[in-house]
Amino acid sequence: MKKDQSKRLQQQIDAINSLVLHQIKPSMQRIAIMDYLITHRTHPSADEIYEKLSIGMPTLSKTTVYNTLKLFASNGAAQMITIDEHQVNFDADTSTHAHFLCKQCGKIYDLSLPELATMPDMQKIEGHLVKEISYFYKGICKDCLAKGTKDSNTN
Amino acid sequence: MKKDQSKRLQQQIDAINSLVLHQIKPSMQRIAIMDYLITHRTHPSADEIYEKLSIGMPTLSKTTVYNTLKLFASNGAAQMITIDEHQVNFDADTSTHAHFLCKQCGKIYDLSLPELATMPDMQKIEGHLVKEISYFYKGICKDCLAKGTKDSNTN
DNA sequence: TTCATATTTGTAATGATTACATTTTTATAT
DNA sequence: ATATAAAAATGTAATCATTACAAATATGAA
C-alpha cells in the first residue's frame, strides 16, 4: 500500500541525512547499510548485515560492508560495540547508552542509564582524553529468565 | 638475593590462594598463569601470556593458556576485557573498575571511578539479571598526549 | 600398582576480519 | 558528450585469534 512506500522512502531519507550529517558521501551501499542499521535496532554484526542485504543486492561485497561500518564508526555515524568477544556489533544510535548481552540467547539490549548520561563527551579522565565510552553488562535477559523459571532456577 | 626469592615465593602463594578461593584446583600451569596476571597489571592477552611463560616453561601449550583463562573468567578469578576489537585481554583484578584503551599506543589503563562502584553485583536492570559489568573508555592516553603536544595538537 | 578422572598438549580447523589488486562508479574539466 | 582522475565497490586470498579434538600426561583414590 501507499503508506508503506512513503514510510520506506522516509527511512531512506533518514539514512541519507545521517550520512551527510557525519560527512559521509552517500552511495547505494552506504545508504542501504545505514538504513539497515536504523531500521534494525538489534545491534547486527557485519556478517549479519551482509547476509540480509545481499538478498536484495546480490553484488554487495562483504568487504564493502566491513569497510563501510568502519567508516561509519570513525565518523561517528555508528557505534562499534565490542561486548561480544566473538564478533563486533554495530548500533546506529550513537548516544551514550549502555548495552546488555544475554549470555544465554546472545541478544543485545539497549539500556538507558540516566545517571551515566551526565558525563559529557570529550572530557579528560585521569589525564587521558576520552573520545568513546562504552558501558557493557552481561548476564541472563528478562526473556530467558522467564523461560528458565519453569523448573531449574536454583542457580 | 634472599629477599627477591621470598618475594617470588609470596607471589606464588598469592596466585595459589586466588585459585583456591575461586574453586580452581591449582596446577603448575594455572599457578604460572595466575601469577603472571597478578604480577603484570598490563591486561595481557592470551597470546602475550603464552609467549612470555613459554620461555621458562617450554612445554606450555597455547590451548592450555586459552582454556585456563576461560576457566579463570567463568570462576570469577579474572576479568575478561573486550575493549579491543582485535583480541581479548585479561585482568586479575576482578573488582568493578573502568578501563581506558589508548587508540594510539594500544595500552590499557585501569581507571578508578568511585561513583560507578556503588552498584552492587548481581542486581537486576530493566528485568535482566546482571552478572558482569564493564566500563570502557577509549581515546588518547596521557603519555601520547604529552608526546603529541610538541607540534601538532590542533586536533 | 591400577584404574578413573582431570589436565595438558599439539595439531588441525574455524571463522571473523583485513589486504590487495581489479573493476566499477562518480565527479569534473575539456 | 568524452576523457580523465579520484573515490568506491568488488572478489579472492590471506591473516590471525580462538576453538575443536584426539592423544598423552598427570593426579588421586582404591
Side-chain angles (χ1 to χ4, degrees), chain A residues 22 76-79 91-97 121:
Chain A
H22 294 95
Q79 221 179 330
D91 191 344
D93 180 356
T94 57
S95 71
T96 297
H97 62 286
D121 282 322

Side-chain angles (χ1 to χ4, degrees), chain A residues 9-127:
Chain A
L9 191 59
Q10 184 54 50
Q11 288 169 341
Q12 305 258 127
I13 292 170
D14 290 345
I16 294 171
N17 281 340
S18 173
L19 294 179
V20 174
L21 180 65
H22 294 95
Q23 333 235 39
I24 296 167
K25 207 193 299 176
S27 73
M28 277 310 212
Q29 292 82 345
R30 290 170 177 177
I31 295 167
I33 293 169
M34 178 54 78
D35 181 51
Y36 189 90
L37 276 179
I38 291 176
T39 55
H40 298 79
R41 297 313 187 105
T42 54
H43 314 92
S45 65
D47 194 72
E48 201 177 318
I49 295 172
Y50 169 74
E51 291 300 337
K52 295 290 173 57
L53 289 184
S54 59
I55 296 169
M57 223 176 154
T59 67
L60 182 66
S61 164
K62 196 173 273 194
T63 300
T64 299
V65 177
Y66 275 94
N67 289 341
T68 301
L69 289 170
K70 180 171 284 185
L71 176 70
F72 287 2
S74 58
N75 283 38
Q79 221 179 330
M80 180 181 284
I81 304 172
T82 59
I83 196 171
D84 187 330
E85 73 255 37
H86 297 109
Q87 95 246 16
V88 176
N89 295 276
F90 292 88
D91 191 344
D93 180 356
T94 57
S95 71
T96 297
H97 62 286
H99 290 106
F100 177 89
L101 169 68
C102 178
K103 295 170 111 175
Q104 197 157 310
C105 68
K107 218 180 290 175
I108 297 175
Y109 295 80
D110 284 310
L111 295 181
S112 55
L113 296 179
E115 75 271 23
L116 295 179
T118 55
M119 176 172 303
D121 282 322
M122 285 296 183
Q123 93 171 49
K124 278 196 187 172
I125 298 184
E126 297 184 17

